[in-house]
Amino acid sequence: MGYGIKLHVWGDRACFTRPEMKAERVSYDVMTPSAARGILEAIHWKPAIRWVVDRIHVLNEISFDSVRRNEVESKVSAAQIKSAMNGRDAILNQIAPAERQQRMTVMLRDVAYVIEAHFEMTSSAGESDNPEKHYSIFSRRARGGQSYHQPYFGCREFPVNFSLLEDGDEIPLSYYRGNVGLDLQWMLWDLEYGEEISPKFFRATMRQGIIDVPDLYKREARL
Amino acid sequence: MTDMEVRDNVMEQEEGSTVIPTINRHEFTIFFDVTNGNPNGDPDMGNMPRIDPETGHGIVTDVCLKRKVRNYVEITREQGEGHRIYVTEGAVLNEQHRKAYRSLREEDVDKFKELKPKDRAEASLLTHWMCDNFYDVRTFGAVMTTKVNCGQVRGPVQFTFARSIDPIFSQETTITRQAVTQEGADKDREMGRKHIVPYGLYRMDGYVSGHLAEKTHFGPEDLELLWESLENMFEHDRSASRGQMALRKLIVFQHETKLGNAPAHKLFERISARKITDAPSRSYADYEISVNSEDLPNGVTVIER
């Protein structure tokens, strides 16, 4: 380790969709490690590194809000695009009123977290890659508000504001600081991208507003 | 190889020496207002204007505004080359559209075959083709069905929920119609309801990523069209329910680099809007919008349009 970072992130809304409630999206109570990784990767990532989320601090009270929106049902198929590309007849448009679905999103409001994370070098690391370099790039970007793309809380309509907590900076006080323990049940840890994409879960417990995240890449979670 | 490397390789093969102009990072804020209309109905509340139940502020969803941008491009560019709209509102009336897609030239078709449908490379080719033909795919992204993960396009332009500056007041007006829908009904008129907001000024913040723009081939002209659509989207969206809606201000923060030169939230904090009268607001004149452009971070330019 040694190259740990702390990133303070906040925003008006968030939706960390539970995989079992995706048609009508319902958010987890807190940010998933997978979403936290997505935020870090939006700021800096290269195939040479792998972000590992160690701890998530929940700063604000957990509260929900809901919105129902008109959405569409289907996606265009690859075969259709291919035949259109080759000049054959194909309709690629989605006609919104014909496939309208009204779907609910139960989202979090007014969220703020501190992500504690570090990265590890992967087998794709080349000769010019070393931890120092990637740590510097990340810190510089996070400090200057730079990002590859604007990070978001689960869905792109919920942007993330971020600032780097430097060594010696205090972690903002959590609403749950006096809380001895809150069982958040099984939560998505991350997706494993192998031949098939498979989800991995962990048992999340929040103590004093802090969720310790295991590195399931290294260790399969057992009860 | 990772997805990204595959994608980059394919782009090189595909484009050869052509250089596609790129754009830097941008943030933007729009202010729009509604007078005696319903900017965005809530399907859960019988089509009342969307309201944040805790604060009373009005909400207009991201997708509502994206719809208007798509409609504007559809109307003004008439589904022309490179400006087709993937998620359309009306049925595709003209069957000719099908044949109008810019099909690949002969040599490209050969190259396409040479690529040996290694699934990822092929998916990436399909994705790029969609980006080049459809303005909304290039701008907002889209999810397309392919076996592999590359069927998903993340567009450079990110919209958020718009929110009113002050709590809004939603008023229900009852209307009558001097005709009845069903035959044989023992009445000679029907009553209906309309929800209106007497006045509301809304703000939406948005983001444009230079890096994602490069990936979807979203160039300077596309960006200009985005500003044009934002400025004019309400002009082509008149209806009985909308009342009078207008874009009041578009403020753009332009960065000098792709990565950006300052945190987005600090730029957005430079913009403030406040009511300058005591009475309930009924017009844009009741508000004052100010942009603090003093001591801007290096490499950031503010453009007010």
Side-chain angles (χ1 to χ4, degrees):
Chain A
M1 281 180 57
Y3 287 104
I5 59 99
K6 291 192 188 78
L7 191 72
H8 181 201
V9 291
W10 70 98
D12 291 339
R13 296 178 184 83
C15 183
F16 310 109
T17 311
R18 291 172 179 270
E20 72 274 25
M21 286 187 263
K22 270 171 100 168
E24 305 241 37
R25 286 175 289 270
V26 178
S27 176
Y28 278 114
D29 289 359
V30 297
M31 178 163 60
T32 59
S34 159
R37 176 182 59 86
I39 292 171
L40 300 172
E41 286 180 352
I43 299 171
H44 174 65
W45 177 79
K46 282 276 182 254
I49 62 171
R50 176 176 80 90
W51 280 107
V52 181
V53 176
D54 301 314
R55 226 165 274 120
I56 293 171
H57 300 246
V58 181
L59 304 182
N60 290 357
E61 187 182 7
I62 297 164
S63 69
F64 290 91
D65 200 355
S66 69
V67 65
R68 189 179 291 278
R69 288 177 282 190
N70 289 328
E71 301 182 11
V72 290
E73 184 184 309
S74 59
K75 308 169 212 166
V76 69
S77 75
Q80 287 251 302
I81 305 175
K82 223 155 99 181
S83 51
M85 266 172 100
N86 295 327
R88 281 193 286 277
D89 280 4
I91 295 181
L92 297 180
N93 304 63
Q94 281 183 314
I95 295 142
E99 39 181 312
R100 178 159 290 163
Q101 292 191 331
Q102 292 195 331
R103 291 195 186 172
M104 176 84 108
T105 304
V106 178
M107 64 211 170
L108 293 165
R109 55 185 299 155
D110 196 17
V111 295
Y113 305 96
V114 170
I115 304 168
E116 278 191 69
H118 70 279
F119 60 82
E120 278 164 12
M121 307 305 285
T122 66
S123 55
S124 317
E127 277 173 20
S128 64
D129 287 307
N130 59 66
E132 180 69 42
K133 169 182 142 181
H134 290 288
Y135 176 74
S136 308
I137 297 176
F138 182 87
S139 314
R140 192 174 65 235
R141 289 188 181 181
R143 221 171 266 142
Q146 300 180 313
S147 60
Y148 182 86
H149 63 83
Q150 188 66 31
Y152 47 89
F153 284 122
C155 303
R156 290 197 76 198
E157 57 270 38
F158 309 129
V160 168
N161 301 316
F162 59 92
S163 77
L164 185 71
L165 292 180
E166 312 272 356
D167 284 344
D169 280 357
E170 296 224 353
I171 290 178
L173 282 181
S174 166
Y175 174 86
Y176 294 99
R177 60 188 176 275
N179 191 292
V180 283
L182 188 62
D183 186 356
L184 297 170
Q185 306 291 324
W186 287 94
M187 269 179 70
L188 178 74
W189 176 72
D190 209 330
L191 298 168
E192 195 169 270
Y193 296 89
E195 286 293 299
E196 293 275 304
I197 299 173
S198 64
K200 283 185 180 290
F201 293 87
F202 76 113
R203 184 77 184 226
T205 314
M206 182 168 79
R207 290 187 189 85
Q208 320 282 343
I210 301 168
I211 301 159
D212 279 302
V213 182
D215 185 359
L216 299 192
Y217 189 73
K218 291 206 167 139
R219 169 174 76 78
E220 288 283 338
R222 301 266 142 69
L223 263 174
Chain B
M1 270 202 288
T2 65
D3 290 1
M4 215 171 278
E5 282 169 308
V6 173
R7 227 176 291 166
D8 287 347
N9 285 349
V10 170
M11 276 174 79
E12 274 164 32
Q13 288 179 31
E14 196 186 10
E15 282 137 28
S17 58
T18 50
V19 179
I20 290 174
T22 57
I23 56 162
N24 293 330
R25 196 180 113 186
H26 290 76
E27 270 92 40
F28 61 94
T29 294
I30 56 170
F31 285 97
F32 59 92
D33 65 354
V34 58
T35 311
N36 294 329
N38 182 357
N40 186 198
D42 188 344
D44 268 344
M45 305 293 282
N47 207 35
M48 256 175 66
R50 291 185 191 273
I51 286 187
D52 178 332
E54 275 182 71
T55 63
H57 285 85
I59 302 275
V60 172
T61 60
D62 55 324
V63 283
C64 170
L65 296 168
K66 282 184 189 174
R67 171 82 270 150
K68 298 194 199 317
V69 168
R70 287 187 163 108
N71 286 351
Y72 178 80
V73 174
E74 196 176 359
I75 295 167
T76 58
R77 299 301 186 269
E78 297 177 329
Q79 298 266 357
E81 179 152 327
H83 288 106
R84 283 171 229 294
I85 293 296
Y86 174 48
V87 188
T88 51
E89 212 165 24
V92 185
L93 295 171
N94 190 347
E95 292 279 305
Q96 284 306 100
H97 281 159
R98 298 171 173 193
K99 295 184 182 101
Y101 295 119
R102 184 172 58 86
S103 52
L104 294 180
R105 288 168 311 231
E106 280 306 309
E107 65 266 29
D108 287 343
V109 174
D110 286 345
K111 214 188 264 175
F112 175 59
K113 278 181 190 141
E114 270 169 40
L115 268 173
K116 300 231 181 68
K118 254 195 335 181
D119 270 350
R120 280 189 173 167
E122 190 186 55
S124 156
L125 204 66
L126 297 176
T127 307
H128 276 304
W129 186 85
M130 287 297 281
C131 286
D132 289 340
N133 277 283
F134 290 89
Y135 181 78
D136 56 341
V137 175
R138 196 156 72 234
T139 308
F140 302 125
V143 181
M144 294 169 266
T145 317
T146 49
K147 274 176 245 143
V148 278
N149 214 15
C150 292
Q152 188 169 350
V153 185
R154 226 170 358 171
V157 180
Q158 200 170 337
F159 277 16
T160 62
F161 282 16
R163 186 186 162 82
S164 65
I165 305 304
D166 289 308
I168 56 165
F169 174 75
S170 165
Q171 188 181 330
E172 190 180 320
T173 49
T174 306
I175 51 171
T176 56
R177 186 176 65 179
Q178 303 294 343
V180 286
T181 316
Q182 281 190 319
E183 289 174 62
D186 189 23
K187 54 182 179 180
D188 51 9
R189 59 184 182 173
E190 281 181 351
M191 297 185 90
R193 254 174 293 166
K194 277 178 90 163
H195 293 280
I196 59 163
V197 178
Y199 184 81
L201 180 66
Y202 290 73
R203 168 180 177 167
M204 184 197 77
D205 296 337
Y207 306 82
V208 186
S209 154
H211 289 100
L212 295 180
E214 196 173 69
K215 283 237 166 348
T216 68
H217 303 174
F218 180 91
E221 280 177 24
D222 294 322
L223 187 66
E224 200 47 47
L225 178 53
L226 175 71
W227 304 145
E228 184 191 320
S229 329
L230 289 173
E231 283 168 329
N232 297 303
M233 60 187 175
F234 298 114
E235 307 299 326
H236 301 277
D237 189 56
R238 306 277 176 221
S239 78
S241 65
R242 296 273 176 261
Q244 288 161 287
M245 292 188 73
L247 190 96
R248 292 299 183 169
K249 220 167 182 48
L250 164 61
I251 301 151
V252 180
F253 294 103
Q254 190 179 334
H255 297 253
E256 244 171 35
T257 57
K258 276 213 176 64
L259 272 179
N261 300 66
H265 68 272
K266 292 212 168 139
L267 298 177
F268 287 135
E269 280 165 9
R270 291 174 168 269
I271 301 173
S272 62
R274 62 183 191 97
K275 202 164 79 162
I276 47 174
T277 52
D278 287 335
S281 54
R282 286 295 178 268
S283 81
Y284 183 56
D286 296 337
Y287 283 91
E288 187 182 70
I289 296 173
S290 64
V291 186
N292 174 10
S293 49
E294 277 170 38
D295 310 320
L296 273 171
N298 278 337
V300 178
T301 331
V302 188
I303 305 160
E304 287 186 53
R305 328 194 2 153

